[in-house]
Structures are given as structure tokens and as C-alpha cells.
Amino acid sequence: MIGLILGDTQLGKVIIKKLKLLKIKFIIIDISKKRIFRRNKNSHSLSIGQLGKAISILKKNRCKKIIFAGRVNKPNFSKVKFDLKALYYLPKIIKESTKGDAPILKVIIKIFKKEGFKIIKSTFFNPELVLTKGNYTKIKPNNLNKKDISRDKFIKYAWEWTDKYGDIIIKQLKRFPQKQL
């Protein structure tokens, strides 16, 4: 059984679809604002502050592995209601919140690891979501194509420049007295 802790975005739906295809059992902890996973039968909608309840649900369902996926906005700590487990870890979370989003996630991952869960990358079941380095086309550009590309960039820049500064130059030229030949 795999525990999915899912926030807002379609990534959670992609992971669920893949797990269903592979016939792997899972349980969802839905921490999205819009509760987009509430229709799934194994879904539990929780708030950010219900860390203890999330851990107990995962342990009750014998989850050993967890996948974090989706976006979660940084909570307003003064408005979130915390359970006892979350209150215990709150000082660490608030301390890391001053450093940005990634440190908060690292602290939460450490908490789940300390509780005995293994964290799996969200791309483990969907490696096609990650592009590796390399060329993804069949045709490589030759020297003539590269010149065309650089020429197009120059022409685009020249037109943008004339759009931006052309009127100013014309106004300045009109100020000069005209010589009659």
C-alpha cells in the first residue's frame, strides 16, 4: 500500500492513473485547497495542520511508502488549526518557513521518515514526466539553419527596436530646421 499526499495540480491524477494501471493499492491524503481528490474511495481530505491524523491514517492502512505530489501554498500559520503531532513539530516548520518552500518540505519529509515511512519520488512510477538531457528531434540543425535562426533573431530585434525608438528619432529629426536645396 502506497500513501499519496497530494496537493493542487494534475500531477496527482497522473500518478493515480498509473497506479491503477499497475494495480497497486494506494490511499490518498488530500491536502489540496479545492479537495480535488475527494471522489476517490480511498481519499481523506485533511488540512495542513493535521499531521498526526495523516500519519495515523497511513499507519492504520499499513502504508510503508509515501509519494508527495502537487502544489501546496505556504499556510498562514496563525489561521491553521494544528493537532498535537503538528504542534510538536511546529517550531521546526516555522523556523524553516523563513528560508523558503523547499526547507519546509525537507522538514516534513524528515518527519515522515522518522515515523518509519519511505519517501518515493513522484517520478518513480511516471519517468516519462522527466526529460533527460539530449536532442528530442530527429533532425539536427545544420550551419545554414543556425544562420537563419540567428538572422531571424536579429530581424525580430531590429523591428522591436524601431517600434520602440523609431517615433522618438522622427520627432527629433522634425525639430531640426530643413535645408532647401
Side-chain angles (χ1 to χ4, degrees):
M1 177 77 75
I2 294 178
L4 303 175
I5 300 178
L6 305 175
D8 296 309
T9 63
Q10 296 300 315
L11 181 59
K13 290 181 180 181
V14 172
I15 292 171
I16 290 169
K17 188 176 179 181
K18 187 72 169 209
L19 290 175
K20 284 181 179 178
L21 186 70
L22 295 172
K23 297 180 181 176
I24 297 174
K25 292 183 180 180
F26 60 88
I27 188 164
I28 300 169
I29 305 294
D30 183 3
I31 56 173
S32 63
K33 267 190 174 178
K34 299 176 185 174
R35 306 293 180 221
I36 55 179
F37 302 103
R38 69 176 175 267
R39 292 189 178 143
N40 292 2
K41 64 179 180 177
N42 292 337
S43 178
H44 300 273
S45 294
L46 300 177
S47 73
I48 298 284
Q50 294 177 309
L51 186 63
K53 189 172 182 180
I55 290 170
S56 66
I57 289 170
L58 293 169
K59 285 186 175 182
K60 180 180 160 188
N61 288 286
R62 296 187 182 105
C63 290
K64 299 288 184 199
K65 301 174 184 176
I66 297 177
I67 297 175
F68 288 92
R71 181 186 73 239
V72 177
N73 295 329
K74 190 185 296 187
N76 182 352
F77 291 111
S78 62
K79 293 183 180 179
V80 176
K81 294 181 181 178
F82 296 99
D83 60 12
L84 290 174
K85 181 79 75 171
L87 282 173
Y88 177 76
Y89 290 109
L90 187 61
K92 289 181 185 179
I93 295 170
I94 290 177
K95 179 183 174 191
E96 296 300 319
S97 71
T98 60
K99 298 176 185 175
D101 296 338
I104 295 173
L105 189 58
K106 284 182 182 179
V107 167
I108 292 171
I109 288 172
K110 281 182 185 178
I111 292 168
F112 278 97
K113 282 182 178 179
K114 188 176 179 183
E115 292 290 332
F117 298 103
K118 181 182 178 189
I119 310 302
I120 302 174
K121 291 183 178 181
S122 58
T123 57
F124 182 78
F125 291 105
N126 296 353
E128 64 273 7
L129 294 175
V130 178
L131 293 176
T132 57
K133 253 186 174 178
N135 189 4
Y136 289 95
T137 63
K138 291 181 181 179
I139 303 169
K140 292 184 179 180
N142 58 24
N143 287 337
L144 186 63
N145 292 342
K146 289 178 185 176
K147 286 180 183 177
D148 284 343
I149 292 168
S150 62
R151 186 182 310 124
D152 285 344
K153 285 183 183 177
F154 172 75
I155 291 171
K156 182 180 176 186
Y157 173 76
W159 277 111
E160 288 174 358
W161 189 89
T162 53
D163 288 342
K164 189 173 182 180
Y165 298 108
D167 291 339
I168 296 169
I169 293 170
I170 290 173
K171 286 178 185 176
Q172 289 175 348
L173 287 173
K174 286 181 180 178
R175 290 184 192 162
F176 290 113
Q178 298 287 327
K179 280 190 177 181
Q180 299 276 334
L181 293 176

